[in-house]
Amino acid sequence: MELRALFGQKSLESESAFSYIETKVKIDPSRSPFISMRLDVLLSGDSLDEIRLAVKSLDLGEATFKVLYIKHGDKISYEEQRNVERLVGMNITGKADMRSPDVTYGILSSGGRWIFGQCHAAEAVWLRHKDKPQNYSTGLSTPVARALANIAVPQPRGIKAIDPCCGMGNVLIEALSMGIDMVGMDINPLAIKGARMNLRHFGYNDATLVRIGDMNEVEQSYDAAILDMPYNLCSVLSVAERIQMLSSLRRFSARSVIVSSELLDRDIQQVGLCVIDQCTITKGTFIRNVWLCQN
């Protein structure tokens, strides 16, 4: 679901055959906890010989490099992978360094077609946010929180977003770390106290980022919102309360991600929100439902 939002594709044609997608959308691979690398394609050809000859035009001067066979395409043996790396690498002008190269090139075969490019490895930024001073036992995990922020705001430039039931700020921290302009609020003063403590812990000292408030009283309009509904484990919402919250969400946000342990399809439809994607998140016996909606 996150990949569909980030890359603007209703379906990912290659996801069933290989664990990669081809796209013209260029993003920082560290944005998603589920992306390990971005390969910027420089060359493609029908044979390894085509790639081997074409890389002779690469001159790195004093820079060091290595060539890495990417394992997400056609499966070949370990010996074949090393042989491909050697054949391609020996035709690049530069100094090879297998440990700490200045540039890492990647090559793979996909259905017999060869692809060569520069690798950009993802950094697990979200791991830095895993241990917080304050947290709920049922709070969203950092990778899920980060994915939800990406689903709600796939293109951050010029977007104003809100987490109207922010709890301890898990989603807010992930969003801010990716440069998303997001604020948070919660009706629970203890949650806001915990969110402020967590934000300060990670260097976000702006007191205006979170505030105590009822989402049903939000007056400002936002481009996107992430609403993590209160869980039945902690509090029971009546149907009327759910409808009121969803109606308020539709009023102040053009695009919204809704998370709930309950099935809200009828409620979402009743308030006039249009579901454009959905999924479930399972953790043991605890299931969260996720809907991406627009007005």
Side-chain angles (χ1 to χ4, degrees), residues 20-23 26 38-45 51 106 108 113-120:
Y20 73 91
I21 64 168
E22 294 187 38
T23 177
K26 187 176 183 179
R38 187 186 78 222
L39 180 70
D40 294 343
V41 178
L42 300 174
L43 303 166
S44 64
I51 302 299
L108 76 156
R113 173 171 162 258
W114 289 86
I115 301 170
F116 175 87
Q118 185 170 346
C119 296
H120 300 274

Side-chain angles (χ1 to χ4, degrees), residues 47-49 51-53 55 65-71 76-92 98 107-109 114 116:
S47 69
L48 180 59
D49 273 345
I51 302 299
R52 182 178 61 81
L53 294 173
V55 298
F65 76 94
K66 77 172 180 180
V67 177
L68 176 68
Y69 185 83
I70 308 299
K71 301 177 183 179
I76 63 175
S77 70
Y78 177 82
E79 291 75 16
E80 289 174 313
Q81 292 175 28
R82 301 292 82 80
N83 188 51
V84 168
E85 294 168 352
R86 181 182 61 81
L87 287 174
V88 174
M90 65 188 298
N91 285 281
I92 298 174
M98 301 307 293
I107 185 168
L108 76 156
S109 173
W114 289 86
F116 175 87

Side-chain angles (χ1 to χ4, degrees), residues 261-278:
S261 60
E262 299 180 278
L263 293 174
L264 302 180
D265 299 83
R266 288 186 179 180
D267 297 342
I268 291 171
Q269 184 179 15
Q270 183 176 332
V271 302
L273 287 168
C274 177
V275 176
I276 57 178
D277 205 352
Q278 63 187 103

Side-chain angles (χ1 to χ4, degrees), residues 7 9-10 15 18 48 67 110 112 121 126 144 155 164 181 187 205 211 219 233:
F7 298 109
Q9 298 173 240
K10 292 183 178 180
E15 66 182 350
F18 304 113
L48 180 59
V67 177
S110 173
W126 55 273
V144 168
Q155 298 178 357
D181 183 1
I187 200 169
N205 298 310
R211 66 180 178 88
E219 296 180 353
L233 297 176

Side-chain angles (χ1 to χ4, degrees), residues 180-214:
I180 296 173
D181 183 1
M182 180 179 281
V183 294
M185 63 183 297
D186 202 287
I187 200 169
N188 184 349
L190 292 178
I192 291 300
K193 182 179 179 180
R196 286 175 174 159
M197 187 179 298
N198 287 337
L199 285 164
R200 286 195 299 269
H201 180 75
F202 295 110
Y204 301 105
N205 298 310
D206 187 348
T208 64
L209 288 173
V210 289
R211 66 180 178 88
I212 301 171
D214 186 337

Side-chain angles (χ1 to χ4, degrees), residues 1-280:
M1 187 173 174
E2 183 203 43
L3 290 178
R4 289 193 290 270
L6 285 174
F7 298 109
Q9 298 173 240
K10 292 183 178 180
S11 62
L12 303 177
E13 295 179 0
S14 62
E15 66 182 350
S16 60
F18 304 113
S19 54
Y20 73 91
I21 64 168
E22 294 187 38
T23 177
K24 293 183 179 179
V25 179
K26 187 176 183 179
I27 68 167
D28 180 351
S30 299
R31 276 192 61 180
S32 169
F34 307 109
I35 295 176
S36 60
M37 178 186 295
R38 187 186 78 222
L39 180 70
D40 294 343
V41 178
L42 300 174
L43 303 166
S44 64
D46 294 327
S47 69
L48 180 59
D49 273 345
E50 283 188 51
I51 302 299
R52 182 178 61 81
L53 294 173
V55 298
K56 290 184 176 183
S57 63
L58 295 176
D59 187 346
L60 298 179
E62 297 299 317
T64 60
F65 76 94
K66 77 172 180 180
V67 177
L68 176 68
Y69 185 83
I70 308 299
K71 301 177 183 179
H72 300 294
D74 296 328
K75 304 301 181 184
I76 63 175
S77 70
Y78 177 82
E79 291 75 16
E80 289 174 313
Q81 292 175 28
R82 301 292 82 80
N83 188 51
V84 168
E85 294 168 352
R86 181 182 61 81
L87 287 174
V88 174
M90 65 188 298
N91 285 281
I92 298 174
T93 302
K95 183 180 179 180
D97 183 345
M98 301 307 293
R99 293 188 175 182
S100 302
D102 298 316
V103 179
T104 298
Y105 290 116
I107 185 168
L108 76 156
S109 173
S110 173
R113 173 171 162 258
W114 289 86
I115 301 170
F116 175 87
Q118 185 170 346
C119 296
H120 300 274
E123 182 182 359
V125 177
W126 55 273
L127 280 177
R128 303 175 193 164
H129 309 144
K130 187 175 180 180
D131 296 321
K132 301 177 178 67
Q134 300 292 316
N135 218 335
Y136 287 136
S137 60
T138 56
L140 295 167
S141 67
T142 49
V144 168
R146 196 171 185 86
L148 292 175
N150 280 326
I151 293 168
V153 189
Q155 298 178 357
R157 183 184 294 273
I159 299 296
K160 289 189 175 296
I162 185 172
D163 182 347
C165 295
C166 69
M168 296 294 181
N170 291 9
V171 169
L172 187 57
I173 289 167
E174 296 308 312
L176 293 172
S177 73
M178 294 186 286
I180 296 173
D181 183 1
M182 180 179 281
V183 294
M185 63 183 297
D186 202 287
I187 200 169
N188 184 349
L190 292 178
I192 291 300
K193 182 179 179 180
R196 286 175 174 159
M197 187 179 298
N198 287 337
L199 285 164
R200 286 195 299 269
H201 180 75
F202 295 110
Y204 301 105
N205 298 310
D206 187 348
T208 64
L209 288 173
V210 289
R211 66 180 178 88
I212 301 171
D214 186 337
M215 69 170 289
N216 296 312
E217 298 175 1
V218 172
E219 296 180 353
Q220 185 176 345
S221 294
Y222 293 89
D223 302 296
I226 299 173
L227 173 60
D228 188 11
M229 300 284 282
Y231 306 130
N232 277 346
L233 297 176
C234 306
S235 59
V236 178
L237 290 176
S238 67
V239 174
E241 288 174 313
R242 295 203 308 261
I243 293 296
Q244 184 180 24
M245 292 175 73
L246 293 173
S247 296
S248 295
L249 182 70
R250 182 178 184 273
R251 173 178 52 79
F252 64 70
S253 180
R255 178 183 173 98
S256 55
V257 172
I258 302 166
V259 184
S260 177
S261 60
E262 299 180 278
L263 293 174
L264 302 180
D265 299 83
R266 288 186 179 180
D267 297 342
I268 291 171
Q269 184 179 15
Q270 183 176 332
V271 302
L273 287 168
C274 177
V275 176
I276 57 178
D277 205 352
Q278 63 187 103
C279 72
T280 58

